[in-house]
Amino acid sequence: GLGDVYKRQVVARSVESVLGLNYPKELIEVLVLDDSDDPESMKCVEDAVAQLIAKGYKASVERRKNRVGGKAGFLREIQPKVRTPYAFLLDCDFRLSPDALSSAVWACESTKASYCQLAWSLEGSGPVAKLQQSMLEYHLKEEQERAVSRGLPVKITGSCVLINNRDLSDIGGWSADTVTEDLDLTVRFALSGKKGTYLPLVGGVGLATPSFSSLFKQIKRWVIGDAQCMLRYGGKVLKAAKKIDSIISFSYLFNYVFSISYVLILAA
């Protein structure tokens, strides 16, 4: 059916983008985290991994019995299996740019950063897709680039981000106690004194969510996750620097909680 064709297309575009990376394949290990239930989706994932292996890549499908902690719980579970110096996170619907991985590694090593967040974009048609694209553009232009210029922490967005695995272990690894593991990781890196860097290079292209209800679920998760992180780390953030700097950092890190636009979207 149409659903199966769509699944194959999404998986195929991700695999093809890995095959097109300008990076030595012997230095890449691909772990595909699969929480799907239906046999067709599982087969699509297995076929994609088989294609990578046939091209000479080290690749495997990772599945778990207990789905605790959502995406972050899965990342925490497989973290001991990661043997490479860096982990590059990529959502399953993303198509990587050829220079994404090499550029991110160069940025981390040249700046001694613990992580490198690349810019990314969304594709899709219709009003919901255009709204998401506008939201993403605002985040990248007005938040990430200003963060770099003002010395604020670079926010991890959960995709198209390269993370130093040793530094990740130093701060306790992934946390499964929040629905926004990317913000949780950003705050813990900042509180530990470890820095991130941001590259405006578009590292990948993802698919916009198809409906307003899907977007609503995303925004709801962001607001809830921001509130969780604010309650857990807000006091530490306020104490971490000079008064004015800490207040700016506080409002910047937990902006979804206070953003009128997101509250209005949730209300709608």
Side-chain angles (χ1 to χ4, degrees):
L2 181 61
D4 295 337
V5 172
Y6 177 75
K7 293 170 191 172
R8 293 180 189 278
Q9 289 175 343
V10 169
V11 173
R13 60 184 263 147
S14 295
V15 171
E16 289 170 1
S17 68
V18 173
L19 296 175
L21 285 173
N22 295 327
Y23 203 81
K25 67 173 66 176
E26 62 271 15
L27 300 181
I28 298 176
E29 183 172 2
V30 181
L31 302 179
V32 182
L33 312 188
D34 182 25
D35 261 345
S36 56
D37 291 314
D38 64 292
E40 187 62 36
S41 295
M42 296 170 73
K43 185 178 184 304
C44 287
V45 172
E46 289 164 2
D47 289 347
V49 169
Q51 183 180 349
L52 287 171
I53 293 173
K55 294 291 185 177
Y57 287 85
K58 291 179 286 186
S60 64
V61 181
E62 303 294 331
R63 295 190 172 102
R64 54 179 176 168
K65 296 180 180 179
N66 301 316
R67 299 179 184 179
V68 178
K71 175 182 175 181
F74 209 159
L75 288 168
R76 185 172 182 84
E77 184 176 312
I78 61 96
Q79 188 178 343
K81 297 183 180 182
V82 179
R83 294 181 290 271
T84 51
Y86 296 98
F88 191 80
L89 271 65
L90 191 70
D91 286 342
C92 67
D93 61 344
F94 264 68
R95 184 177 68 249
L96 276 172
S97 300
D99 294 326
L101 184 55
S102 57
S103 298
V105 170
W106 170 83
C108 274
E109 294 187 347
S110 62
T111 62
K112 307 299 182 183
S114 295
Y115 60 94
C116 174
Q117 177 63 60
L118 276 71
W120 48 280
S121 62
L122 290 169
E123 61 183 6
S125 58
V128 178
K130 290 180 179 178
L131 175 59
Q132 293 174 77
Q133 290 162 357
S134 297
M135 291 162 57
L136 177 60
E137 184 176 347
Y138 173 82
H139 167 68
L140 296 175
K141 293 289 185 182
E142 299 298 324
E143 291 188 340
Q144 294 285 43
E145 292 187 12
R146 282 192 179 186
V148 173
S149 65
R150 299 179 68 176
L152 294 170
V154 174
K155 281 188 177 181
I156 296 171
T157 66
S159 193
C160 273
V161 59
L162 183 82
I163 300 174
N164 184 301
N165 283 316
R166 184 166 55 185
D167 289 347
L168 177 61
S169 297
D170 288 345
I171 64 169
W174 293 97
S175 172
D177 297 330
T178 175
V179 294
T180 49
E181 70 286 338
D182 42 11
L183 176 62
D184 183 277
L185 198 59
T186 300
V187 177
R188 286 191 289 128
F189 268 129
L191 290 173
S192 69
K194 298 182 185 295
K195 304 293 185 181
T197 187
Y198 171 72
L199 274 184
L201 168 77
V202 176
V205 180
L207 296 175
T209 54
S211 64
F212 185 82
S213 60
S214 300
L215 178 59
F216 172 85
K217 290 178 182 178
Q218 280 190 348
I219 294 175
K220 183 178 180 181
R221 180 176 64 85
W222 297 338
V223 174
I224 292 173
D226 269 40
Q228 290 174 333
C229 290
M230 185 184 69
L231 292 173
R232 184 174 295 127
Y233 305 116
K236 295 179 181 179
V237 171
L238 285 173
K239 294 177 182 178
K242 298 177 183 178
K243 186 174 181 180
I244 186 65
D245 292 338
S246 59
I247 290 174
I248 292 173
S249 297
F250 183 89
S251 60
Y252 161 72
L253 288 168
F254 310 119
N255 65 322
Y256 288 129
V257 177
F258 307 108
S259 173
I260 295 176
S261 60
Y262 287 103
V263 172
L264 289 175
I265 292 174
L266 285 174

